[in-house]
Amino acid sequence: MTDRTVHLVQLYPRDMNIYGDWGNTLTLKRRLERYGYAVRLSDHDPGDPFPSDADLLVGGGGQDSGQFRVQEDLQRIAPELRAMAADGLPMLAICGLYQLFGHEFRTGAGETLPGIGILDLTTVGGPTRLIGNIVLESPEFGTVVGYENHSGVTRLGPGQAPLGKVLKGAGNNGEDGTEGARVHHVVGSYLHGSMLPKNPAVADHLIRAAVERRLGVFDAAPLDDTLAERAREVAQARPR
Amino acid sequence: MSRPHVRLLGQGIRYLTTLRGGGSAFPGLVMERLHPGFVAEELAKLPHGVVLISGTNGKTTTTKMAVQLLRSQGYKVFTNRTGSNFVRGVAAALLGEMSLTGRLDADIAVLELDEAHAVHFVKQVKPRHALLLNVMRDQLDRFGEIDTTRRMLAQIAAATTGTVVLNREDPRIVSLAEHVPEGTQTRWFGLSAPLRPMFPSDDDMRSAGGPDAESDHEQEPAPRPAADVELTSFEANRVRLTVGGEAVETTVALYGVYNMYNAAAALALALAVAGPDADRAALVDELSRVTPAFGRGETITVDGRPLQLLLVKNPAGFRLSLASARPGDYATMIAINDEYADGRDVSWLWDVDFHSLRSGGVDVVAGTRAWDMALRLDYDEVAVREVVPGLGDALRRFLAGAGERPMRVFCTYTSMLELRRELSRVAEVAEI
Ligand SMILES: [Zn+2]
């Protein structure tokens, strides 16, 4: 019998975990379990040996100070992350980590944090925080709902696909109507919310990619997402 | 207009808004417009100055306790007890307390201000004492980041002329000591080592394996400054404290371990204010007579059954509320609104660990974000009997289904206001 275990790795949960990022990890873990897979969950924090056998990576937002603390370690593991991304390993990078998945982040205080260039984008610290409920339309995932809270202003490179078009909210920069970025099976976004509980389509995309990459085939019956559906309807109707 | 005329006008407006049950800050707004220095001038006359209490969690309860402790020592205390913790609210409270000849019958002011308003306030009025409780995730959608909130508190510490009382167990509060100006004292309140794990900071929230897993990132503990008041241990309402190195015991009629810790904070503040003249035994004794502030664990009796209202507004507070009683013994309702006053962002629900509710389940989930809450509980594998967004209906179904169990309702700010209104139809509910 094949080993139906999926190795889920949280990137920097100590320094980059705010606005309910745990909800994304928990959603992936529970859904995998409910689909009939075992989950091995581990953390990667600065200085830890990088788990090269990871199947699925998830990382969240943080204070600017948190970004400074993880930045050096992120550069250390960048070659491996880039190779994994190109090899189709699914990753979810939210907010602070999303910014560092791009080329660079110039903070409001004028410092420059180098990114790891998996996503073709750059970010500068803006004068105002972009805060509120946000709704996107994504070609692959349909309507995506969440909550954004960031002062970073992100511009996508010319060939970089966004996660979706903003229907309500600010998105990457509040100007060009894009939100997030997508390449291979990597999803970057400013959406907290947490994002995955209310967007099972995104969660299942990451899960399917992880399982297919490890086991060749994803063969599970769909889950009942009634609660998520109700919560999505409410989230879309609430004031910004 | 001359000063007394402005004040009398403000007092008149305050009287009229009281009659119509209106917002408590409006007369203060009028005063601010007509006489901008009003609050600073009045408070500057107080012989024992101004005490400012700020932080994310526990301001209201701690302020109430500090006021009572100081009154027991003979101070005539002015406070902004209307719960309107804006500078304007302070002005309105001042107008309410002054006689028509403009005399404020007080010798000290104890004011509760949230971080952003406190920053504005200290530009006008330098507090003699400040009590800074904690910095936690709360309403980040308004203030931006926790580090921003910490910087606001640093400005309060820097503006304080007498003594700053700090929470030794919150790393962000500890770091404020370096902002205390020369000539101003720093005093501490803290927890005994066995109690510290009950108060996780937002920084050590989530590691692999979730809440059940041990963190493998134990950091070297930094040496801790000596605390004037340390919460040593507690059992039900019986509290042991170490006060000035001496072990004392008392009862505190408040719900939850976090309120016991607020009591320690209030006591440390009262000791700092009263200085060497403090009657320590009397202060400890007075703690046994404090009662909960509105919505901070107040109990309402419905058809002879106790119903407890627990205000929840951030992960740390929610976790501590959950940890304060055995859930299986209670009928449980959770009401989550996302109105402006609650904070529109409900992502914080994902940072609360709901495992403890698995054994008894949750009877009713309610509020504008009831479905978000139900989804959250589903992912922690907590059974939910009913999801009823409308609070009135939800409350009726909860009361009908609770049976003989005592009831507790975890609720956000605006959902609590509405639930209290609904409850006042069927039970005795104290006026706010
Ligand atoms: Zn963020």
Side-chain angles (χ1 to χ4, degrees):
Chain A
M1 201 180 132
T2 49
D3 176 15
R4 287 166 65 93
T5 300
V6 174
H7 188 187
L8 171 59
V9 176
Q10 298 194 95
L11 285 173
Y12 310 119
R14 237 193 316 163
D15 296 300
M16 306 285 281
N17 177 357
I18 196 167
Y19 304 117
D21 287 309
W22 168 249
N24 292 326
T25 307
L26 180 64
T27 300
L28 292 171
K29 180 174 184 287
R30 282 272 185 270
R31 292 183 80 81
L32 276 161
E33 288 164 354
R34 289 173 185 181
Y35 282 130
Y37 299 93
V39 176
R40 182 152 72 91
L41 176 60
S42 51
D43 292 352
H44 176 80
D45 283 307
D48 292 350
F50 184 71
S52 315
D53 61 345
D55 296 314
L56 179 44
L57 293 176
V58 55
Q63 313 275 316
D64 287 356
S65 57
Q67 284 179 306
F68 277 98
R69 283 197 295 276
V70 307
Q71 192 267 119
E72 200 176 315
D73 189 80
L74 191 62
Q75 290 303 323
R76 177 175 68 92
I77 66 172
E80 205 156 1
L81 287 177
R82 281 190 290 261
M84 283 172 153
D87 189 50
L89 187 133
M91 305 180 186
L92 177 71
I94 300 295
C95 202
L97 202 65
Y98 166 52
Q99 294 167 343
L100 293 179
F101 265 45
H103 299 300
E104 64 173 34
F105 174 36
R106 267 175 288 137
T107 70
E111 284 155 295
T112 299
L113 292 175
I116 59 174
I118 287 179
L119 298 168
D120 181 15
L121 54 89
T122 54
T123 303
V124 295
T128 51
R129 287 193 87 79
L130 306 170
I131 301 180
N133 286 305
I134 176 166
V135 182
L136 323 176
E137 194 60 31
S138 151
E140 288 167 279
F141 307 122
T143 305
V144 178
V145 301
Y147 195 93
E148 64 182 325
N149 183 346
H150 56 104
S151 54
V153 173
T154 296
R155 302 269 171 205
L156 304 180
Q160 175 64 60
L163 171 61
K165 281 299 221 187
V166 177
L167 300 182
K168 174 167 97 179
N172 282 330
N173 46 54
E175 285 166 17
D176 65 12
T178 67
E179 205 297 317
R182 290 267 353 253
V183 66
H184 310 298
H185 292 303
V186 177
V187 175
S189 173
Y190 277 118
L191 269 64
H192 310 295
S194 305
M195 186 208 227
L196 295 186
K198 279 206 288 288
N199 295 287
V202 181
D204 285 352
H205 172 87
L206 298 168
I207 286 171
R208 175 178 287 276
V211 172
E212 284 179 351
R213 188 170 166 276
R214 158 127 339 237
L215 303 167
V217 57
F218 177 77
D219 52 357
L223 302 176
D224 177 358
D225 282 317
T226 310
L227 295 176
E229 278 308 317
R230 290 288 107 73
R232 285 164 58 78
E233 286 162 16
V234 172
Q236 288 174 67
R238 296 302 295 158
R240 171 127 163 103
Chain B
M1 258 189 285
S2 72
R3 267 210 64 184
H5 287 137
V6 171
R7 176 178 49 75
L8 284 168
L9 176 65
Q11 282 176 308
I13 292 168
R14 188 181 179 280
Y15 178 65
L16 291 174
T17 50
T18 312
L19 285 184
R20 120 186 124 72
S24 58
F26 175 67
L29 173 64
V30 174
M31 283 309 289
E32 201 176 77
R33 287 281 153 74
L34 295 179
H35 189 111
F38 171 72
V39 168
E41 286 168 28
E42 288 308 318
L43 295 180
K45 296 177 192 164
L46 297 172
H48 295 288
V50 172
V51 179
L52 204 159
I53 298 176
S54 194
T56 317
N57 271 338
K59 287 187 288 288
T60 303
T61 300
T62 309
T63 302
K64 190 168 183 283
M65 283 192 271
V67 167
Q68 191 170 336
L69 291 177
L70 289 171
R71 283 186 177 147
S72 79
Q73 298 277 298
Y75 288 89
K76 286 183 180 173
V77 184
F78 162 76
T79 185
N80 57 338
R81 68 189 151 192
T82 55
S84 168
N85 59 10
F86 299 73
V87 177
R88 254 161 232 172
V90 175
L94 269 173
L95 288 167
E97 292 288 312
M98 286 169 116
S99 69
L100 288 177
T101 55
R103 256 186 53 78
L104 180 62
D105 188 24
D107 50 28
I108 189 168
V110 178
L111 304 175
E112 166 201 351
L113 290 171
D114 75 28
E115 299 88 336
H117 290 109
V119 166
H120 184 56
F121 181 85
V122 299
K123 286 179 187 148
Q124 298 173 34
V125 183
K126 300 270 172 269
R128 191 167 307 170
H129 301 274
L131 170 61
L132 304 177
L133 295 167
N134 44 56
V135 188
M136 288 172 183
R137 269 198 60 192
D138 182 33
Q139 307 183 342
L140 285 181
D141 45 342
R142 253 169 278 169
F143 297 157
E145 294 194 332
I146 296 180
D147 291 343
T148 310
T149 312
R150 194 203 77 91
R151 280 193 290 275
M152 293 177 182
L153 293 181
Q155 292 184 54
I156 301 169
T160 304
T161 59
T163 307
V164 181
V165 181
L166 299 175
N167 177 0
R168 190 183 64 183
E169 316 306 340
D170 183 320
R172 288 195 172 81
I173 294 291
V174 171
S175 74
L176 296 176
E178 65 194 59
H179 298 272
V180 175
E182 213 168 310
T184 296
Q185 283 196 66
T186 305
R187 316 295 294 181
W188 302 89
F189 63 101
L191 294 164
S192 67
L195 290 185
R196 271 172 223 144
M198 298 189 73
F199 292 78
S201 84
D202 281 346
D203 292 331
D204 42 45
M205 202 105 72
R206 288 299 174 197
S207 293
D212 303 327
E214 287 291 306
S215 166
D216 51 359
H217 299 295
E218 279 306 316
Q219 282 174 356
E220 256 330 280
R224 286 163 199 277
D228 289 354
V229 180
E230 188 177 279
L231 180 60
T232 317
S233 66
F234 67 96
E235 205 172 309
N237 285 340
R238 199 90 201 125
V239 179
R240 277 180 206 87
L241 300 159
T242 308
V243 183
E246 196 183 316
V248 298
E249 221 179 296
T250 185
T251 52
V252 178
L254 295 171
Y255 179 89
V257 51
Y258 54 104
N259 275 329
M260 311 294 179
Y261 195 39
N262 291 336
L267 182 57
L269 175 66
L271 289 168
V273 170
D277 302 336
D279 183 342
R280 203 185 276 177
L283 281 171
V284 172
D285 191 46
E286 187 65 25
L287 276 182
S288 64
R289 284 186 282 275
V290 298
T291 50
F294 143 80
R296 274 68 172 181
E298 70 175 328
T299 299
I300 292 165
T301 306
V302 189
D303 296 333
R305 296 171 299 168
L307 181 149
Q308 214 162 28
L309 285 175
L310 296 157
L311 180 68
V312 292
K313 48 179 190 164
N314 51 40
F318 207 148
R319 276 177 286 155
L320 288 170
S321 277
L322 284 167
S324 293
R326 264 210 316 272
D329 302 343
Y330 287 85
T332 302
M333 171 168 160
I334 304 178
I336 304 295
N337 273 359
D338 68 347
E339 302 300 341
Y340 179 77
D342 302 298
R344 293 252 181 248
D345 186 2
V346 291
S347 65
W348 63 277
L349 294 173
W350 292 91
D351 289 327
V352 184
D353 167 10
F354 292 99
H355 281 61
S356 67
L357 293 176
R358 269 188 202 161
S359 57
V362 172
D363 293 80
V364 180
V365 171
T368 53
R369 290 291 191 150
W371 292 105
D372 271 86
M373 188 64 229
L375 180 65
R376 173 71 193 92
L377 290 168
D378 177 56
Y379 273 116
D380 263 356
E381 314 210 298
V382 175
V384 174
R385 195 165 51 98
E386 282 189 285
V387 182
V388 186
L391 289 170
D393 282 348
L395 181 66
R396 279 183 284 282
R397 301 195 62 91
F398 180 59
L399 292 174
E404 292 306 302
R405 292 171 294 165
M407 297 168 278
R408 56 177 187 169
V409 181
F410 300 95
C411 41
T412 61
Y413 184 72
T414 67
S415 59
M416 172 150 66
L417 294 180
E418 194 175 335
L419 286 171
R420 287 177 105 261
R421 272 197 300 277
E422 292 286 340
L423 281 164
S424 68
R425 301 176 184 193
V426 295
E428 186 100 1
V429 178
E431 291 285 321
I432 300 169

